[in-house]
Short mmCIF file of all heavy atoms in Angstrom, two decimals:
data_model
loop_
_atom_site.label_atom_id
_atom_site.label_comp_id
_atom_site.label_asym_id
_atom_site.label_seq_id
_atom_site.Cartn_x
_atom_site.Cartn_y
_atom_site.Cartn_z
N THR A 518 92.10 107.11 107.09
CA THR A 518 91.51 107.98 106.07
C THR A 518 90.93 109.24 106.71
O THR A 518 90.14 109.93 106.06
CB THR A 518 90.41 107.24 105.30
OG1 THR A 518 89.44 106.73 106.22
CG2 THR A 518 90.98 106.09 104.48
N HIS A 519 91.30 109.55 107.95
CA HIS A 519 90.84 110.77 108.61
C HIS A 519 91.87 111.87 108.33
O HIS A 519 93.01 111.78 108.78
CB HIS A 519 90.66 110.53 110.11
CG HIS A 519 89.45 109.70 110.42
ND1 HIS A 519 88.68 109.90 111.54
CD2 HIS A 519 88.86 108.68 109.75
CE1 HIS A 519 87.69 109.03 111.56
NE2 HIS A 519 87.78 108.27 110.47
N ARG A 520 91.43 112.88 107.62
CA ARG A 520 92.35 113.84 107.01
C ARG A 520 93.29 114.50 108.01
O ARG A 520 94.48 114.65 107.74
CB ARG A 520 91.54 114.91 106.27
CG ARG A 520 92.39 115.95 105.56
CD ARG A 520 91.52 116.96 104.83
NE ARG A 520 90.65 116.31 103.85
CZ ARG A 520 89.81 116.99 103.07
NH1 ARG A 520 89.72 118.32 103.17
NH2 ARG A 520 89.06 116.36 102.19
N HIS A 521 92.80 114.88 109.18
CA HIS A 521 93.62 115.66 110.10
C HIS A 521 94.13 114.86 111.29
O HIS A 521 94.93 115.38 112.07
CB HIS A 521 92.82 116.87 110.62
CG HIS A 521 92.40 117.81 109.55
ND1 HIS A 521 91.08 118.15 109.32
CD2 HIS A 521 93.11 118.48 108.60
CE1 HIS A 521 91.00 118.99 108.32
NE2 HIS A 521 92.22 119.20 107.85
N LEU A 522 93.67 113.62 111.46
CA LEU A 522 94.13 112.81 112.59
C LEU A 522 95.15 111.78 112.15
O LEU A 522 96.29 111.77 112.63
CB LEU A 522 92.94 112.13 113.26
CG LEU A 522 93.29 111.26 114.48
CD1 LEU A 522 93.76 112.14 115.63
CD2 LEU A 522 92.09 110.42 114.90
N ILE A 523 94.76 110.87 111.27
CA ILE A 523 95.67 109.88 110.70
C ILE A 523 95.22 109.63 109.27
O ILE A 523 94.12 109.13 109.02
CB ILE A 523 95.69 108.58 111.54
CG1 ILE A 523 96.59 107.54 110.87
CG2 ILE A 523 94.29 108.06 111.83
CD1 ILE A 523 96.90 106.36 111.76
N ASN A 524 96.08 109.98 108.31
CA ASN A 524 95.69 109.98 106.91
C ASN A 524 96.77 109.30 106.08
O ASN A 524 97.86 109.84 105.90
CB ASN A 524 95.47 111.42 106.43
CG ASN A 524 94.90 111.48 105.03
OD1 ASN A 524 94.33 110.52 104.54
ND2 ASN A 524 95.05 112.61 104.38
N ARG A 621 83.98 111.48 111.59
CA ARG A 621 83.82 111.62 110.14
C ARG A 621 82.47 111.07 109.72
O ARG A 621 82.01 110.06 110.26
CB ARG A 621 84.94 110.85 109.41
CG ARG A 621 84.95 111.04 107.90
CD ARG A 621 86.00 110.16 107.26
NE ARG A 621 86.07 110.32 105.83
CZ ARG A 621 86.60 109.44 104.99
NH1 ARG A 621 87.13 108.33 105.46
NH2 ARG A 621 86.63 109.67 103.70
N ASP A 634 81.46 114.28 102.41
CA ASP A 634 82.55 113.78 103.25
C ASP A 634 82.95 114.92 104.16
O ASP A 634 83.46 115.95 103.71
CB ASP A 634 83.72 113.33 102.38
CG ASP A 634 84.88 112.77 103.22
OD1 ASP A 634 84.73 112.67 104.46
OD2 ASP A 634 85.92 112.41 102.63
N THR A 638 88.30 117.11 113.96
CA THR A 638 89.41 116.53 114.72
C THR A 638 89.80 117.46 115.84
O THR A 638 89.88 118.69 115.66
CB THR A 638 90.62 116.28 113.81
OG1 THR A 638 90.24 115.41 112.74
CG2 THR A 638 91.76 115.64 114.58
N TYR A 669 86.69 119.89 108.22
CA TYR A 669 86.55 120.04 106.77
C TYR A 669 85.20 119.49 106.35
O TYR A 669 84.55 118.72 107.07
CB TYR A 669 87.67 119.29 106.03
CG TYR A 669 87.49 117.79 106.04
CD1 TYR A 669 86.88 117.13 104.97
CD2 TYR A 669 87.92 117.02 107.11
CE1 TYR A 669 86.71 115.77 104.97
CE2 TYR A 669 87.75 115.65 107.12
CZ TYR A 669 87.15 115.02 106.05
OH TYR A 669 86.97 113.66 106.06
N ALA A 670 84.77 119.89 105.16
CA ALA A 670 83.54 119.38 104.56
C ALA A 670 83.68 119.46 103.04
O ALA A 670 83.95 120.54 102.50
CB ALA A 670 82.33 120.18 105.02
N ASP A 671 83.52 118.32 102.39
CA ASP A 671 83.57 118.24 100.93
C ASP A 671 82.23 117.72 100.44
O ASP A 671 81.80 116.61 100.81
CB ASP A 671 84.68 117.29 100.47
CG ASP A 671 86.06 117.78 100.88
OD1 ASP A 671 86.18 118.97 101.24
OD2 ASP A 671 87.02 116.99 100.84
N LYS A 729 84.22 122.74 98.71
CA LYS A 729 85.09 122.27 99.78
C LYS A 729 85.38 123.40 100.77
O LYS A 729 85.58 124.55 100.35
CB LYS A 729 86.41 121.74 99.21
CG LYS A 729 86.24 120.64 98.17
CD LYS A 729 87.57 120.21 97.60
CE LYS A 729 87.38 119.16 96.51
NZ LYS A 729 88.68 118.74 95.91
N HIS A 730 85.41 123.02 102.02
CA HIS A 730 85.77 123.96 103.08
C HIS A 730 86.70 123.26 104.06
O HIS A 730 86.48 122.09 104.42
CB HIS A 730 84.53 124.47 103.81
CG HIS A 730 84.85 125.19 105.10
ND1 HIS A 730 85.35 126.47 105.12
CD2 HIS A 730 84.76 124.79 106.40
CE1 HIS A 730 85.54 126.84 106.38
NE2 HIS A 730 85.19 125.84 107.17
N GLU A 731 87.73 123.98 104.51
CA GLU A 731 88.68 123.41 105.47
C GLU A 731 89.22 124.52 106.37
O GLU A 731 89.53 125.62 105.90
CB GLU A 731 89.83 122.72 104.74
CG GLU A 731 90.84 122.08 105.67
CD GLU A 731 91.96 121.39 104.93
OE1 GLU A 731 92.11 121.64 103.70
OE2 GLU A 731 92.72 120.61 105.55
N ALA A 741 100.45 111.79 112.81
CA ALA A 741 100.06 110.84 111.78
C ALA A 741 99.37 111.48 110.59
O ALA A 741 98.86 110.76 109.73
CB ALA A 741 99.16 109.77 112.39
N ALA A 742 99.31 112.79 110.52
CA ALA A 742 98.66 113.47 109.39
C ALA A 742 99.44 114.72 109.03
O ALA A 742 99.89 115.46 109.91
CB ALA A 742 97.21 113.83 109.72
N ALA A 743 99.60 114.94 107.74
CA ALA A 743 100.31 116.13 107.26
C ALA A 743 99.29 117.22 106.97
O ALA A 743 98.74 117.32 105.88
CB ALA A 743 101.12 115.80 106.01
N ALA A 744 99.02 118.04 107.97
CA ALA A 744 98.05 119.13 107.83
C ALA A 744 98.76 120.46 108.08
O ALA A 744 99.51 120.60 109.05
CB ALA A 744 96.90 118.96 108.83
N GLN A 750 90.54 127.62 104.04
CA GLN A 750 90.37 127.72 102.60
C GLN A 750 88.99 127.23 102.18
O GLN A 750 88.39 126.37 102.83
CB GLN A 750 91.45 126.95 101.85
CG GLN A 750 91.41 125.45 102.03
CD GLN A 750 92.44 124.75 101.14
OE1 GLN A 750 93.05 125.36 100.27
NE2 GLN A 750 92.61 123.47 101.35
#
Side-chain angles (χ1 to χ4, degrees):
T518 55
H519 287 215
R520 182 179 302 182
H521 299 123
L522 181 68
I523 177 168
N524 187 19
R621 185 185 181 200
D634 182 3
T638 302
Y669 74 95
D671 297 345
K729 304 177 182 179
H730 167 76
E731 181 179 14
Q750 66 174 350

